[in-house]
Amino acid sequence: VIWMTQSPSLLSASTGDRVTISCRMSQGISSYLAWYQQKPGKAPELLIYAASTLQSGVPSRFSGSGSGTDFTLTISCLQSEDFATYYCQQYYSFPWTFGQGTKVEIK
Amino acid sequence: QVTLKESGPVLVKPTETLTLTCTVSGFSLSNARMGVSWIRQPPGKALEWLAHIFSNDEKSYSTSLKSRLTISKDTSKSQVVLTMTNMDPVDTATYYCAAALKGFDPWGQGTLVTVSS
């Protein structure tokens, strides 16, 4: 099983801030990593796949980087609609696993 | 447009077996590039991947839940079915199905299943 450590679990930020979320793997996964955004009461939505490829329709203020064991999701200029919970997920090997989530709240 | 929708009971009793159905549209379950997973989320907690089925009927399961889960598909009905045996109150969660290619996209709307006597 590939274990994932996502940090921080809670991030307080203001509109316009640049924020970064980290995801660290217990073993290398090449670039088989996805990031999701989830708003209360809604299903998650795919933001980024293959560690750095933006899903169609996702604003360019979102970006992903990393490979191997260390990955980062960056929101360059936080907007009001970005306050949500974010999850990383590896699809390198079964069982697929999710990070524990990062809630981005208004400071 | 690819869509998925979950259906099943909203309430099950402890020890019962849960059966959930995911009905897909916009793609064929025999599509070699696409598979379907089930994922759940207890109230206020993180996402947990449960099971996946490929177009060639190959399956994979969560290590911790493998003994309780069965995933199957009916290509003619465009449905993927998940059964989970011996339900317990800790299995109370929103259950999602999602198409999987490079990450999960799209997701169904989810269905909340409560386990209570």
Side-chain angles (χ1 to χ4, degrees), chain B residues 10-82:
Chain B
V10 297
L11 179 67
V12 297
K13 292 182 168 56
T15 75
E16 287 185 341
T17 294
L18 171 68
T19 300
L20 294 171
T21 300
C22 176
T23 302
V24 310
S25 64
F27 76 101
S28 170
L29 292 173
S30 60
N31 183 327
R33 300 183 68 224
M34 197 84 83
V36 174
S37 274
W38 284 95
I39 299 138
R40 71 177 180 179
Q41 185 173 39
K45 295 189 177 181
L47 301 164
E48 179 184 17
W49 175 80
L50 299 176
H52 183 78
I53 190 164
F54 290 92
S55 59
N56 64 359
D57 216 40
E58 186 178 338
K59 300 152 189 171
S60 189
Y61 295 99
S62 160
T63 302
S64 60
L65 293 169
K66 185 173 185 176
S67 64
R68 298 173 54 205
L69 295 173
T70 302
I71 191 170
S72 62
K73 65 182 175 74
D74 185 330
T75 300
S76 65
K77 293 183 179 179
S78 295
Q79 292 180 335
V80 175
V81 175
L82 181 76

Side-chain angles (χ1 to χ4, degrees), chain A:
Chain A
V1 179
I2 297 176
W3 300 105
M4 307 174 70
T5 303
Q6 186 176 341
S7 62
S9 55
L10 178 65
L11 194 161
S12 298
S14 302
T15 302
D17 285 353
R18 178 183 179 91
V19 301
T20 60
I21 299 169
S22 171
C23 199
R24 175 165 287 181
M25 308 296 138
S26 61
Q27 64 188 76
I29 63 166
S30 184
S31 296
Y32 292 90
L33 186 97
W35 290 97
Y36 303 87
Q37 178 193 67
Q38 186 179 32
K39 296 183 178 179
K42 300 293 186 181
E45 294 185 352
L46 179 65
L47 295 174
I48 288 169
Y49 63 91
S52 61
T53 302
L54 209 61
Q55 174 70 345
S56 176
V58 174
S60 59
R61 63 181 180 273
F62 291 91
S63 64
S65 64
S67 67
T69 59
D70 292 320
F71 300 86
T72 300
L73 172 70
T74 300
I75 310 173
S76 60
C77 182
L78 202 62
Q79 302 298 300
S80 58
E81 60 266 32
D82 301 335
F83 291 98
T85 300
Y86 295 84
Y87 294 93
C88 55
Q89 178 247 332
Q90 66 83 17
Y91 54 101
Y92 176 75
S93 69
F94 287 107
W96 291 341
T97 42
F98 287 92
Q100 287 306 105
T102 296
K103 183 177 181 180
V104 178
E105 66 169 22
I106 300 172
K107 189 173 183 180

